[in-house]
Amino acid sequence: MGITKTLVIFFHIVILAVSLSNHVVLTSGAKIEKFSYDHCFHLCVEGEYELHECFVDCVQKGFHKADCVSRTPKDPIRCCCNY
């Protein structure tokens, strides 16, 4: 009975460790994902040309992702697309 109890406890510890490690990997993976830009063009202006318009233009150009970003803090915010 002692060996069975030990095996059951060990099994539960392994299951718990695996489930926690998967959760951490998924969470950290979402934060690490980077968005490199293949094509930046139009300036994003609040109330005139925002993320929605940027996304539509990028999709029409054949890209899959879009965002209004600047490469450095001094650069203007532009619509950038990526595959």
Side-chain angles (χ1 to χ4, degrees), residues 3-72:
I3 192 86
T4 305
K5 186 176 181 180
T6 304
L7 287 174
V8 169
I9 291 172
F10 178 74
F11 176 75
H12 283 99
I13 290 173
V14 169
I15 296 296
L16 179 63
V18 169
S19 67
L20 289 176
S21 66
N22 283 342
H23 180 69
V24 171
V25 168
L26 291 174
T27 306
S28 63
K31 293 178 183 177
I32 293 173
E33 180 184 354
K34 294 183 179 180
F35 188 96
S36 62
Y37 306 105
D38 295 322
H39 180 67
C40 296
F41 61 105
H42 198 284
L43 287 177
C44 290
V45 180
E46 189 173 331
E48 293 178 23
Y49 188 89
E50 295 180 343
L51 183 58
H52 176 72
E53 291 82 9
C54 174
F55 181 76
V56 170
D57 285 348
C58 287
V59 169
Q60 288 175 349
K61 292 176 190 269
F63 294 95
H64 301 293
K65 295 180 182 179
D67 203 358
C68 289
V69 295
S70 63
R71 293 184 185 257
T72 67

